[in-house]
Amino acid sequence: FCEVKTMNKNVLEISGVSVEQLAATCKTPLYVYDENKIRQQLSMYHELFRSNDFETEVLYASKAFSCKAMVELVKAYGLSLDVVSGGELYTAKQVGFPMERVYFHGNNKSYEELEMAVHYGVGTIIVDNDMECEALVQIMKNVGTSIKTMIRVNPGVEAHTHKYIMTAYVDSKFGISILRKKEIADMILTLTSIPNITFEGFHSHIGSQIFDKDAYVAEITKLCEFMEDMQKEYNILCNALNLGGGFAAYYTSDDQPIPLHEVCKTILDTCRIQKDTHNLTFHR
């Protein structure tokens, strides 16, 4: 946004259009998204999150803002898509988003939503608990297609964010504690008990509105230690690590978000160091 001063008053402009003009044309209340800014951000993520040491993939969390136009932009810039409901999945289907690049998250997926994801050919389902694990296996027994899965784990990392949007407390409802390794190993065995389900790796989310890049260092370090333990104790190898944690946005004058190039470099450098330290096999 920018603010320009006229002779009589200050006028807020969004991408060169005054809010007065927008209100007069569209009426109020009105939500406005700056497409130019969105395109710029998508392009920056695509360019900055690359590594010569392993494959990388950027996912847009459609729960932030989901409509056909937004999903079209994500598709155009070559990003993948994170969905958490049947509605978001339906929206992606309507614009012809490549289903192999869709990740179905959510800690309370219904049986019908899992069936919908399988029917649509979603690439990866993030399994959040043992009941969901068993439900997915039952569904996949009756279809001729295959699917990739990941398990959401809780590393116990407390990011510096608002207490009501922290998602990685040890007793959080989001994901399974990495301390429960035997239970996680059993879930993986259940998933891979049929040939058309592949286990890819682990997902973790440590909260939103994160201002401290060291939170990502802690998340990655804990997860890589856990992944090495799973290799040694249960011979479980991971192809991919799916990292979650919302980059801070500027809402008030007190907010100082981490520059995008810094947070991307921190994540990539930490993944490289920890991958080598723990002799891990993940390629993404």
Side-chain angles (χ1 to χ4, degrees):
F1 301 155
C2 66
E3 187 174 303
V4 294
K5 189 172 184 179
T6 65
M7 292 182 62
N8 300 316
K9 57 185 176 180
N10 294 331
V11 179
L12 179 67
E13 290 189 349
I14 302 174
S15 199
V17 182
S18 76
V19 293
E20 291 180 339
Q21 180 183 343
L22 289 167
T25 303
C26 304
K27 308 307 177 183
T28 61
L30 177 65
Y31 288 91
V32 180
Y33 289 83
D34 185 343
E35 182 178 340
N36 292 331
K37 182 65 174 178
I38 292 173
R39 288 181 178 275
Q40 179 187 19
Q41 290 294 104
L42 290 171
S43 179
M44 287 177 64
Y45 277 108
H46 190 268
E47 292 301 318
L48 292 173
F49 201 71
R50 293 183 177 183
S51 172
N52 294 323
D53 301 293
F54 43 78
E55 297 177 36
T56 58
E57 187 175 7
V58 180
L59 280 64
Y60 170 72
S62 60
K63 64 182 179 182
F65 175 48
S66 180
C67 70
K68 288 183 179 181
M70 184 65 222
V71 177
E72 285 276 19
L73 286 175
V74 175
K75 176 184 174 183
Y77 281 83
L79 276 64
S80 296
L81 190 68
D82 174 322
V83 303
V84 296
S85 69
E88 290 177 15
L89 180 55
Y90 178 80
T91 301
K93 182 72 171 177
Q94 291 304 297
V95 301
F97 196 93
M99 285 294 127
E100 67 272 13
R101 297 212 318 265
V102 173
Y103 290 69
F104 191 17
H105 281 256
N107 69 317
N108 192 29
K109 306 178 192 71
S110 69
Y111 193 90
E112 290 73 21
E113 285 176 323
L114 288 171
E115 286 184 314
M116 180 182 183
V118 171
H119 176 69
Y120 278 5
V122 163
T124 306
I125 291 181
I126 314 298
V127 178
D128 212 84
N129 53 65
D130 53 355
M131 290 186 295
E132 189 175 291
C133 172
E134 293 171 3
L136 181 59
V137 168
Q138 290 302 313
I139 293 169
M140 292 303 296
K141 283 181 178 178
N142 300 314
V143 299
T145 57
S146 60
I147 199 164
K148 297 176 182 178
T149 59
M150 304 185 81
I151 291 178
R152 179 170 183 170
V153 295
N154 181 349
V157 173
E158 179 182 330
H160 293 287
T161 183
H162 193 286
K163 67 178 181 179
Y164 294 119
I165 50 177
M166 289 179 179
T167 57
Y169 284 133
V170 172
D171 61 349
S172 170
K173 66 181 178 180
F174 299 102
I176 304 168
S177 170
I178 58 173
L179 302 177
R180 296 159 64 182
K181 289 182 285 187
K182 177 62 167 60
E183 183 177 337
I184 294 169
D186 288 343
M187 285 178 60
I188 295 169
L189 286 175
T190 298
L191 289 170
T192 55
S193 63
I194 58 176
N196 54 344
I197 295 181
T198 301
F199 171 71
E200 283 287 287
F202 297 105
H203 161 75
S204 171
H205 193 285
I206 58 171
S208 299
Q209 195 66 350
I210 298 172
F211 291 94
D212 184 0
K213 60 186 178 183
D214 287 341
Y216 299 105
V217 175
E219 176 190 21
I220 296 164
T221 301
K222 293 269 285 187
L223 285 172
C224 288
E225 291 172 354
F226 162 73
M227 290 165 67
E228 183 182 26
D229 289 344
M230 295 301 286
Q231 284 187 7
K232 290 180 177 179
E233 296 177 27
Y234 299 98
N235 197 31
I236 291 173
L237 303 179
C238 302
N239 291 323
L241 183 59
N242 185 301
L243 299 167
F247 298 173
Y250 183 88
Y251 286 107
T252 74
S253 58
D254 293 329
D255 293 337
Q256 296 182 348
I258 313 166
L260 185 56
H261 71 277
E262 287 187 21
V263 70
C264 286
K265 185 177 187 304
T266 296
I267 291 172
L268 293 172
D269 286 349
T270 306
C271 283
R272 173 180 53 79
I273 292 169
Q274 293 299 320
K275 178 178 183 292
D276 293 342
T277 299
H278 297 284
N279 194 29
L280 300 176
T281 59
F282 66 85
H283 58 75
R284 282 185 288 142

